[in-house]
Amino acid sequence: MWIEFRTRLSLALLTAVWLVIKPKGMVHWTPMKRVVHRLSNSAYVLFLTHFGVIVLISDVWNKSHFYDPYLALAMTGMAWLCCVGVGLLLHEKAEVPIHHWVSQQTKQLYIRFAH
């Protein structure tokens, strides 16, 4: 960073340092923090599924022959909402139950082999 300053790298470094040194008692769960927490937990599923959702919405746009820029903006917002919705849905209905099932099976397997 001394050779070539990078803003994003500096922000990431500053965030990492803050997360390490911040006082532990500073966590107060406000409604906004709950929303951010749920969205951040579903980020991996969102990453895995967003491309398919965007391709689907893009196909609808191309087959409909729309040319209005305001409609394009609305479709972009709808694509974003669909991506976030699919991410949240799959996280809560697939990822979390599968994680619990796998951890339970692993625990039982460990108990079986430990004795």
Side-chain angles (χ1 to χ4, degrees):
M1 287 205 6
W2 288 277
I3 296 170
E4 186 176 345
F5 182 76
R6 306 269 180 163
T7 307
R8 283 183 266 168
L9 187 59
S10 301
L11 179 61
L13 181 63
L14 183 66
T15 303
V17 168
W18 170 251
L19 288 173
V20 169
I21 65 171
K22 75 178 179 80
K24 300 296 180 206
M26 289 189 67
V27 178
H28 301 290
W29 286 99
T30 62
M32 183 58 144
K33 285 185 182 179
R34 286 188 180 102
V35 169
V36 170
H37 183 72
R38 284 185 70 196
L39 289 173
S40 65
N41 282 341
S42 68
Y44 184 64
V45 177
L46 175 70
F47 168 72
L48 292 176
T49 59
H50 80 280
F51 184 73
V53 172
I54 290 171
V55 167
L56 211 71
I57 302 258
S58 175
D59 187 53
V60 168
W61 175 266
N62 288 333
K63 288 187 177 170
S64 301
H65 302 290
F66 294 131
Y67 298 106
D68 183 29
Y70 296 111
L71 187 56
L73 185 63
M75 291 282 282
T76 303
M78 187 179 79
W80 182 79
L81 286 172
C82 286
C83 288
V84 171
V86 166
L88 283 170
L89 179 75
L90 286 176
H91 172 71
E92 292 176 5
K93 300 299 181 188
E95 188 179 20
V96 170
I98 289 171
H99 171 73
H100 289 303
W101 182 79
V102 167
S103 65
Q104 185 66 28
Q105 297 300 318
T106 307
K107 191 183 302 180
Q108 289 175 358
L109 194 62
Y110 174 74
I111 291 170
R112 192 176 310 153
F113 284 123
H115 293 283

